[in-house]
């Protein structure tokens, strides 16, 4: 199943509500949502990925893959 634009928009809103910034977000040719998220000084640099995972679980998205993770940036694919 594809991620809808509405689901991606809600995900972005939730990420930004926590103080993180979304540098890029879009739906790729396979229908998966993709986002590049910067920590932007918010959250604990060692644990902020859990905030992002909680959003995915709370939204009941089908699956996700964190393709890149540093203390400052996360690249995530939503399925």
């Amino acid at each position: 199943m594809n991620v809808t634009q509405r689901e991606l928009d809600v995900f972005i809103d939730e990420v930004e509500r926590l103080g993180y910034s979304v540098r890029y977000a879009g739906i790729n040719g396979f229908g998966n949502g993709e986002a590049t998220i910067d920590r932007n000084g918010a959250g604990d640099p060692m644990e902020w990925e859990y905030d992002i995972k909680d959003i995915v679980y709370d939204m009941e998205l089908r699956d996700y893959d964190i393709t890149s993770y540093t203390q400052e940036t996360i690249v995530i694919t939503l399925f």
Side-chain angles (χ1 to χ4, degrees):
M1 248 178 128
N2 296 340
V3 173
T4 66
Q5 185 63 49
R6 175 73 181 129
E7 288 172 321
L8 185 60
D9 290 344
V10 170
F11 176 78
I12 292 166
D13 289 345
E14 290 298 311
V15 167
E16 291 177 341
R17 186 181 61 78
L18 294 177
Y20 307 126
S21 64
V22 177
R23 186 180 341 151
Y24 165 81
I27 296 177
N28 67 21
F30 298 106
N32 302 325
E34 298 178 324
T36 301
I37 305 164
D38 294 320
R39 189 171 66 84
N40 202 32
D44 182 332
M46 300 302 285
E47 297 185 5
W48 74 291
E49 75 175 293
Y50 297 110
D51 291 341
I52 306 303
K53 290 178 182 179
D54 286 345
I55 293 169
V56 172
Y57 295 137
D58 290 347
M59 289 183 61
E60 298 179 357
L61 293 172
R62 289 155 289 288
D63 201 3
Y64 72 94
D65 183 24
I66 293 179
T67 55
S68 176
Y69 169 74
T70 69
Q71 291 183 355
E72 297 301 321
T73 303
I74 287 177
V75 178
I76 188 169
T77 303
L78 306 169
F79 304 99

